[in-house]
Amino acid sequence: GGIILAASIIIWFLTTFPRMADSPGGINATGDKMAKSYAGRIGKAIEPALKPLGFGWRAGVALITGVAAKEIVVSTFGVLYQVEDTGGAKSEGLRAALRREMTPVSALSFMLFTLIYIPCMGTLGMMNRELGSIKWTLFAVAYSMTLAWSLSFIVYQGGMLLGFK
């Protein structure tokens, strides 16, 4: 619980700052602010590596925050899409937002990537202690990231090649 709370605060900070002067435009202005936040800048920087997997910059941000704990991936999407909690309707708003951004094939690719890529920080710490070497821990991280990227690439590009959307 403490790790998730701390990570949620960090996510809030990264999605809120730097503060931009309010610009006219309503909802589009909110999306522009989110894209120009620190989190948006990080997501846009890694987006070229994720595009072949069918992911946008928001998915990249969610994957980065998911290193703290995999459960944070979903809450990050909620923050990035500015989904309000209206007594149980939050998940419906998030589902609709994700359906607009991801196709079924890219969603499958994202779930596969999330399943395989590096474990949470606590697990990485335990791996380092058990392996007794930062080199082996970094090898395990590199291996799992490479495996996750490769399998997600095969799923997404294969699905697109076969005509699935």
Side-chain angles (χ1 to χ4, degrees):
I3 291 175
I4 293 173
L5 175 62
S8 295
I9 291 169
I10 292 169
I11 293 165
W12 167 82
F13 176 83
L14 292 174
T15 57
T16 303
F17 294 100
R19 290 254 183 208
M20 306 287 169
D22 287 338
S23 59
I27 294 171
N28 289 335
T30 301
D32 290 343
K33 287 180 192 177
M34 193 63 65
K36 293 177 182 175
S37 70
Y38 292 129
R41 292 174 187 179
I42 293 167
K44 292 204 180 269
I46 65 170
E47 187 176 32
L50 300 176
K51 271 293 185 197
L53 312 178
F55 312 159
W57 66 269
R58 288 179 181 92
V61 173
L63 289 170
I64 290 171
T65 61
V67 173
K70 300 276 179 136
E71 297 85 358
I72 296 176
V73 171
V74 175
S75 66
T76 300
F77 276 129
V79 171
L80 292 173
Y81 286 111
Q82 301 286 302
V83 177
E84 294 182 24
D85 189 0
T86 55
K90 181 177 183 177
S91 61
E92 286 303 316
L94 184 54
R95 281 188 198 128
L98 288 172
R99 281 188 189 121
R100 284 190 300 272
E101 178 133 343
M102 291 183 160
T103 65
V105 175
S106 65
L108 178 62
S109 173
F110 182 81
M111 288 186 290
L112 181 64
F113 191 94
T114 304
L115 177 69
I116 298 171
Y117 88 123
I118 60 178
C120 68
M121 295 303 288
T123 303
L124 287 175
M126 185 59 72
M127 283 174 61
N128 186 46
R129 191 166 76 180
E130 292 295 320
L131 293 171
S133 169
I134 190 72
K135 289 179 185 178
W136 280 110
T137 304
L138 292 175
F139 172 79
V141 167
Y143 177 80
S144 63
M145 290 291 286
T146 303
L147 181 64
W149 194 93
S150 300
L151 291 177
S152 293
F153 179 84
I154 291 168
V155 166
Y156 181 72
Q157 294 298 329
M160 297 304 288
L161 191 62
L162 293 172
F164 296 110
K165 297 278 178 184

